Amino acid sequence: MRTLKFLLRKEFRQIFRDKSIVALIFIMPMIQLIIMPLAADYEVRNVNLAVVDNDKSSYSQKLISKVIASGYFRLQGYNDSFNEAFTLIESDKADLILEIPHGFERNLIREDKQKLFVAVNAINGTKANLGGSYLSSIIGSFNADIRMQLVQQPRFSQFPIIEVVASNWFNPVLNYKIFIVPGILAILVTMVGGFLSALNIVKEKEIGTIEQINVTPIKKHIFILGKLIPFWVLANIVFTIGLLLARLIYGIVPIGSLLVLYLFISIYLLTVLGFGLLVSTYCDTQQQAMFIMFFFMMLFILLGGLFTSIDSMPDWAKLITRINPVRYMIEVMRMVILKGSGFMDVLPHLGAVSAMAVLLNGWAILNYKKTN
Amino acid sequence: MKQFIAFVRKEFYHVLRDKRTLLILFGMPIAQILVFGFALTNEVKDSEILVVDYAKDNASQEIITKIAASRYFKIRKAALTHTEILSTFQKGKIKAVVVFPANFNDELRHNNKAQVQIITDASDINTANMITNYLSAILLDYQNQINVNIEMPYQIIAETRMLYNPQLKGAHGFVPGVMALVLMLVSVMMTAISIVREKETGTMEILLVSPFKPVLVIFAKALPYLFLSLINVSAIIFLSVFALELPVKGSLLLLFAESTLFIITCLALGIFISIKTDSQQIAMLISLMGMLLPTMIFSGFLFPIENMPYPLQVISNIVPSKWFYIIVKSIMIKGLGIQSLWKETSILLGMTLFLLTISLKSFKIRLQ
């Protein structure tokens, strides 16, 4: 125990000696937490629309102004032909084309039926998809207006209509910041813990100081603990500052219990740090350690369910997400902070990260022995 | 010149000797393109939803069958009360609840109007939005089905065409994005670290006092990484085409030329970072922790840049991978040529020159 105390004192001193690293550890994540949520936004607005109005009738004018008035579309201009509008799509100046065919108004009245053409730039799915479906719903409501005007409507609908009443719980106004901030905080804390711990042992290897530790009678697990605890403390501080920032800047107040949140984060951090240490024990240079961490960090982040839904992944990828600690962290952050989930709700997640923590740290200790 | 070649050769040996790093260097981008190409999609499918059927009549049963048949949903049926819905959401698995009120069929057939309630867990907005869209489409489809004999007057039909990507594959957007991300980070990190490492171990001083021009030392160090990155680009393009079935509609030659330019931009950024820092740890923290999320988010492949607040749109312009993402997407999927890409190309070129100039400037200062 006394050895551990000395080791810890040494490690802390070592970390805090390099002021620029300490500044990076605290300031970089915070700046990112403040800025990134502003950028991560899928909301349907500012969808760029090119209009090809071949009809130039009062109906086509009404439709276009209804679309613009919705506030979700930004008119990029009227084009004379589809091809001309298509060049706007090619240069990413437009996301959607609405083409109104010649004789739209006349045919609609005479033949009771008329088509409209919508073309969607489908390379980058979400925005175009949401924009496209929004445009169709505006066309639908325009259709209803026209019908109302032309037909003397009875008071009750003549045919069965299903009305959809949608309510969005936990984030009723669909604020993207509330959705993204807890996830980004989870990722930042993971990076701080993971990168620092991965570089640590390997740095000693590279400089050669690890030889000196190896010839002392320090027990392996004490040595690993000595490496682990300082980063655990640092990451917890970063997490706490992050929570405060989320509250001050984005007004996100955890609905669930902070105790549950901290219980989870403390075990989760052991998993992340254990992983970093494990990588560290396998590598000879900081460069190698970094590349490996980079590889896993990207996998963890992109398969973590923050940017794309885990449900929609193929089965093998879902299996990967089961051993992805970041996925559990992001889920628990959302559960506790946004939904007010309690201890029993996050118990399965807690179990998963605990198992990983034991496995990874055990493995790191065993593997460290070998290099001795 | 002879000196330079000898030096480059030395650097090559140096890089190629480290088999483990090489393995990581080549294995990593390939694995990432494959995993992300297949796994990332903006679609939502197999979402678990609850159906609360207070009606239990023909209409509600038919709709439930329709929902169950769609690949978007997995139904967990339960007779829940509203208070139980909250605790179900809090457990996390269920993404939405569909509630059919009692007498659903009666209302629909006799009053011609019935309501269905969709409650989503909007702590995950993307999924919530998509689910509401898909469910509404299924309900509308059912409504049209029972109305098939009733001729709707004055009907406007919107025909939608999906350009470039009719099957709506996620890979079309994600692969060029991941390519821009991986290439950038790998190139920046490799150069930054390898130069800083010489500084840290003290061997840089030896190189600098040699009669060899310091600028050439730096170039010689960056050259092997340019070469390795080009092999990586080839592997990534090969996999994108043959494993992920992405087209290369434009010129392959142009794609390679642009990739080379982008890699040089990244190497220049790496050189810049290495000149400004003194320890591998700081170089790493800057190039990895400082750049991973911003590159990911500002490239435009995850979130549309036009949606960002104006100052951030301005910031996104200094992220090289944003321009490379546009270039790759344009050449591979849209089949555009250089005449449409001169702007992006000259921006990358400008960035490269700028980074190299200020790097060399500050490098000279260090020598004095």
Side-chain angles (χ1 to χ4, degrees):
Chain A
M1 219 47 220
R2 248 176 60 113
T3 346
L4 184 61
K5 221 174 86 186
F6 286 125
L7 266 181
L8 284 178
R9 193 177 297 162
K10 174 209 140 216
E11 292 290 340
F12 269 114
R13 227 174 252 168
Q14 229 163 13
I15 295 172
F16 283 105
R17 201 169 41 196
D18 193 341
K19 293 280 179 294
S20 45
I21 287 203
V22 176
L24 282 180
I25 293 173
F26 287 109
I27 294 168
M28 214 152 56
M30 294 315 133
I31 293 178
Q32 293 192 28
L33 187 69
I34 295 171
I35 293 177
M36 290 298 125
L38 298 171
D41 192 340
Y42 264 136
E43 210 177 312
V44 192
R45 60 186 150 80
N46 298 339
V47 179
N48 296 313
L49 181 74
V51 172
V52 184
D53 183 2
N54 293 320
D55 199 35
K56 297 201 173 61
S57 59
S58 72
Y59 274 13
S60 68
Q61 291 303 322
K62 262 186 210 157
L63 173 59
I64 294 164
S65 50
K66 194 177 170 83
V67 172
I68 303 301
S70 74
Y72 293 93
F73 297 94
R74 207 157 52 181
L75 188 64
Q76 287 305 314
Y78 294 94
N79 300 101
D80 293 330
S81 68
F82 183 82
N83 284 340
E84 200 184 297
F86 185 72
T87 55
L88 288 180
I89 292 241
E90 258 189 347
S91 55
D92 275 340
K93 290 196 181 74
D95 304 305
L96 297 176
I97 301 175
L98 170 64
E99 189 182 21
I100 302 168
H102 192 69
F104 171 70
E105 178 168 347
R106 194 190 51 211
N107 291 347
L108 183 63
I109 290 169
R110 278 198 200 150
E111 287 160 36
D112 254 14
K113 211 174 214 174
Q114 179 57 35
K115 279 181 183 164
L116 281 175
F117 300 99
V118 176
V120 180
N121 176 1
I123 296 181
N124 201 340
T126 312
K127 188 181 180 187
N129 258 339
L130 290 176
S133 69
Y134 208 80
L135 186 57
S136 335
S137 80
I138 294 176
I139 293 173
S141 113
F142 172 75
N143 198 170
D145 292 351
I146 296 285
R147 207 171 278 145
M148 192 88 91
Q149 247 175 39
L150 294 174
V151 189
Q152 200 61 356
Q153 291 279 341
R155 267 189 60 197
F156 295 102
S157 169
Q158 283 177 304
F159 38 83
I161 288 175
I162 300 174
E163 206 177 71
V164 175
V165 185
S167 51
N168 302 297
W169 285 18
F170 312 116
N171 188 1
V173 291
L174 297 179
N175 181 341
Y176 265 80
K177 282 151 200 93
I178 289 178
F179 153 75
I180 210 90
V181 168
I184 288 191
L185 179 56
I187 289 178
L188 290 170
V189 170
T190 310
M191 288 209 277
V192 169
F195 288 142
L196 288 177
S197 64
L199 284 179
N200 197 278
I201 292 186
V202 88
K203 186 183 175 190
E204 297 221 26
K205 277 192 202 169
E206 222 173 12
I207 311 175
T209 48
I210 201 142
E211 301 300 325
Q212 284 161 10
I213 298 271
N214 284 345
V215 294
T216 63
I218 293 175
K219 294 224 170 62
K220 308 306 161 220
H221 66 273
I222 298 280
F223 174 72
I224 295 275
L225 272 180
K227 290 279 174 204
L228 216 124
I229 294 172
F231 297 127
W232 186 86
V233 172
L234 280 183
N236 261 313
I237 296 175
V238 170
F239 178 71
T240 308
I241 301 176
L243 270 189
L244 287 174
L245 280 180
R247 187 180 197 139
L248 289 175
I249 296 172
Y250 294 105
I252 299 171
V253 183
I255 295 172
S257 140
L258 277 178
L259 204 67
V260 174
L261 204 56
Y262 273 96
L263 175 71
F264 187 84
I265 184 89
S266 17
I267 295 179
Y268 169 76
L269 280 175
L270 292 181
T271 314
V272 173
L273 296 173
F275 184 71
L277 290 176
L278 179 64
V279 169
S280 196
T281 60
Y282 271 105
C283 295
D284 304 320
T285 63
Q286 293 185 66
Q287 207 178 7
Q288 283 175 0
M290 240 174 35
F291 278 132
I292 294 182
M293 280 314 279
F294 165 61
F295 174 68
F296 281 103
M297 217 43 101
M298 257 188 84
L299 277 183
F300 287 166
I301 294 174
L302 283 176
L303 296 183
L306 180 61
F307 299 123
T308 66
S309 149
I310 290 176
D311 286 338
S312 60
M313 292 175 189
D315 289 336
W316 57 266
K318 275 186 206 161
L319 269 183
I320 298 180
T321 67
R322 284 183 179 278
I323 49 167
N324 175 2
V326 175
R327 172 240 168 117
Y328 295 105
M329 177 69 187
I330 290 174
E331 272 180 15
V332 168
M333 288 287 273
R334 286 211 186 120
M335 287 166 87
V336 178
I337 295 180
L338 303 182
K339 294 195 266 184
S341 304
F343 177 72
M344 290 312 284
D345 297 318
V346 303
L347 198 58
H349 300 73
L350 198 61
V353 291
S354 307
M356 282 189 257
V358 172
L359 183 82
L360 290 167
N361 286 297
W363 190 353
I365 292 172
L366 284 178
N367 197 53
Y368 175 62
K369 253 179 193 164
K370 274 191 217 155
T371 61
N372 192 8
Chain B
M1 201 58 209
K2 237 181 96 182
Q3 255 180 334
F4 183 66
I5 291 169
F7 207 86
V8 169
R9 191 178 298 153
K10 177 216 140 213
E11 287 302 325
F12 259 101
Y13 285 141
H14 198 66
V15 172
L16 295 179
R17 204 178 37 201
D18 187 354
K19 293 281 180 298
R20 207 188 284 184
T21 306
L22 274 186
L23 188 74
I24 303 167
L25 226 54
F26 287 123
M28 198 170 66
I30 291 172
Q32 282 177 337
I33 286 288
L34 283 179
V35 170
F36 298 138
F38 283 113
L40 298 187
T41 140
N42 278 320
E43 250 193 343
V44 169
K45 59 183 184 217
D46 291 341
S47 286
E48 293 190 33
I49 61 170
L50 272 185
V51 173
V52 184
D53 187 1
Y54 291 121
K56 294 203 170 51
D57 51 33
N58 286 343
S60 70
Q61 288 305 318
E62 275 172 39
I63 294 174
I64 292 169
T65 318
K66 250 176 148 27
I67 296 174
S70 102
R71 67 199 172 100
Y72 303 120
F73 302 110
K74 272 188 194 156
I75 291 191
R76 301 271 176 274
K77 224 188 275 191
L80 277 177
T81 63
H82 262 62
T83 44
E84 279 173 278
I85 295 175
L86 177 66
S87 62
T88 317
F89 275 143
Q90 284 177 334
K91 282 197 185 64
K93 279 222 149 270
I94 299 295
K95 300 288 163 58
V97 181
V98 182
V99 188
F100 293 94
N103 304 325
F104 179 70
N105 198 21
D106 283 353
E107 296 277 332
L108 191 60
R109 306 282 166 168
H110 300 130
N111 293 343
N112 275 339
K113 198 171 203 172
Q115 285 191 340
V116 174
Q117 196 184 8
I118 300 175
I119 305 167
T120 55
D121 171 0
S123 67
D124 179 351
I125 296 189
N126 291 343
T127 310
N129 263 339
M130 299 268 185
I131 287 180
T132 312
N133 279 349
Y134 291 144
L135 281 173
S136 308
I138 292 175
L139 289 167
L140 187 67
D141 194 42
Y142 180 76
Q143 184 188 302
N144 291 341
Q145 192 183 312
I146 56 175
N147 285 336
V148 75
N149 294 324
I150 302 162
E151 192 57 42
M152 296 270 278
Y154 307 114
Q155 202 174 2
I156 300 173
I157 302 157
E159 272 191 3
T160 305
R161 208 180 330 160
M162 295 294 172
L163 302 170
Y164 301 119
N165 184 10
Q167 290 151 294
L168 296 179
K169 280 194 198 160
H172 279 65
F174 286 120
V175 168
V178 174
M179 193 167 153
L181 181 63
V182 171
L183 272 182
M184 160 134 182
L185 289 168
V186 169
S187 315
V188 172
M189 276 196 304
M190 281 189 306
T191 25
I193 297 303
S194 73
I195 295 174
V196 173
R197 194 175 170 186
E198 299 259 9
K199 279 194 199 173
E200 223 176 29
T201 49
T203 44
M204 195 59 146
E205 300 301 317
I206 300 169
L207 291 176
L208 293 183
V209 295
S210 73
F212 199 61
K213 265 200 191 134
V215 180
L216 292 181
V217 174
I218 301 287
F219 281 157
K221 290 198 92 57
L223 213 59
Y225 293 120
L226 172 64
F227 177 73
L228 291 180
S229 300
L230 276 175
I231 298 181
N232 262 337
V233 169
S234 318
I236 291 174
I237 294 174
F238 183 85
L239 281 176
S240 313
V241 173
F242 291 101
L244 293 161
E245 293 168 353
L246 243 73
V248 181
K249 284 193 187 150
S251 146
L252 197 59
L253 197 70
L254 180 64
L255 187 56
F256 268 99
E258 296 278 5
S259 304
T260 314
L261 172 63
F262 176 64
I263 293 166
I264 294 175
T265 315
C266 298
L267 296 180
L269 182 57
I271 290 172
F272 177 66
I273 293 176
S274 71
I275 281 170
K276 291 288 176 197
T277 54
D278 290 313
S279 84
Q280 287 189 67
Q281 263 188 337
I282 293 182
M284 185 224 69
L285 283 175
I286 291 177
S287 54
L288 207 51
M289 216 168 80
M291 286 180 10
L292 184 59
L293 266 189
T295 334
M296 220 175 239
I297 290 178
F298 286 127
S299 293
F301 80 105
L302 286 172
F303 300 98
I305 287 172
E306 318 88 271
N307 263 15
M308 298 173 189
Y310 186 71
L312 292 189
Q313 293 190 28
V314 176
I315 292 177
S316 78
N317 289 334
I318 60 169
V319 176
S321 54
K322 169 192 170 175
W323 304 106
F324 187 59
Y325 172 62
I326 297 175
I327 292 173
V328 175
K329 202 172 62 171
S330 304
I331 299 176
M332 287 182 78
I333 296 162
K334 294 183 182 171
L336 300 182
I338 182 74
Q339 67 279 3
S340 321
L341 296 170
W342 60 266
K343 183 181 143 206
E344 287 78 12
T345 311
S346 33
I347 289 173
L348 283 183
L349 209 60
M351 282 181 179
T352 315
L353 293 177
F354 175 73
L355 285 168
L356 284 178
T357 318
I358 54 168
S359 301
L360 295 182
K361 274 235 170 81
S362 33
F363 192 62
K364 275 179 198 149
I365 291 164
R366 254 184 54 84
L367 274 177
Q368 279 160 1

